[in-house]
């Protein structure tokens, strides 16, 4: 033998290397890329909702409570955007839904 492992052993080792080293690296890179791509959408969503909360609070004089509520309502959509499970096209609907929720608590 020339020291080369049998084909079956080499295949098992190669597959284990892919699963343990390469796949996690690829997943990490994809997650970072998705986060970079969605950063602008997340900023836009948060800015729009905070502006709405500020506008509503000028009328109701309860700004800090509404801002806190807005941030709580933004949490899940922000995560979904970051994970790529919510699209840029959904942002308007999310903003309207949060606005309705904020207005219902005034």
């Amino acid at each position: 033998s020339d020291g080369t492992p049998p084909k079956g052993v080499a295949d098992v080792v190669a597959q284990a290397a892919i699963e343990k080293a390469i796949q996690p690296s690829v997943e990490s890179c994809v997650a970072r890329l998705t986060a970079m791509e969605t950063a602008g959408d997340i900023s836009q969503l948060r800015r729009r909702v905070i502006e709405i909360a500020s506008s509503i609070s000028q009328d109701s004089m309860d700004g800090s409570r509404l801002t806190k509520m807005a941030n709580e309502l933004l949490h899940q959509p922000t995560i979904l955007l970051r994970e790529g499970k919510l699209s840029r096209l959904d942002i308007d609907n999310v903003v309207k839904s949060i606005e309705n929720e904020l207005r219902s608590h005034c």
Side-chain angles (χ1 to χ4, degrees):
S1 171
D2 64 0
T4 304
K7 174 85 173 111
V9 172
D11 289 346
V12 168
V13 170
Q15 186 60 38
I18 289 170
E19 290 173 6
K20 299 231 185 257
I22 297 171
Q23 189 63 34
S25 294
V26 169
E27 290 171 0
S28 175
C29 287
V30 168
R32 282 194 303 259
L33 180 61
T34 301
M36 287 178 2
E37 289 175 343
T38 60
D41 294 336
I42 291 169
S43 294
Q44 176 193 26
L45 170 66
R46 299 187 70 78
R47 180 184 45 77
R48 287 174 62 188
V49 169
I50 296 303
E51 286 174 1
I52 289 168
S54 295
S55 172
I56 295 170
S57 69
Q58 287 177 353
D59 299 333
S60 70
M61 302 300 284
D62 198 4
S64 63
R65 184 178 67 84
L66 278 177
T67 300
K68 181 179 180 188
M69 183 182 295
N71 283 320
E72 290 171 359
L73 293 169
L74 280 165
H75 180 73
Q76 190 62 30
T78 299
I79 290 172
L80 293 175
L81 271 170
R82 189 171 289 128
E83 292 174 347
K85 295 177 182 173
L86 193 66
S87 78
R88 149 178 305 150
L89 301 174
D90 298 318
I91 291 176
D92 286 341
N93 290 333
V94 169
V95 170
K96 288 175 187 168
S97 175
I98 292 175
E99 179 178 9
N100 291 338
E101 185 71 20
L102 293 172
R103 288 191 186 282
S104 73
H105 285 87
C106 289

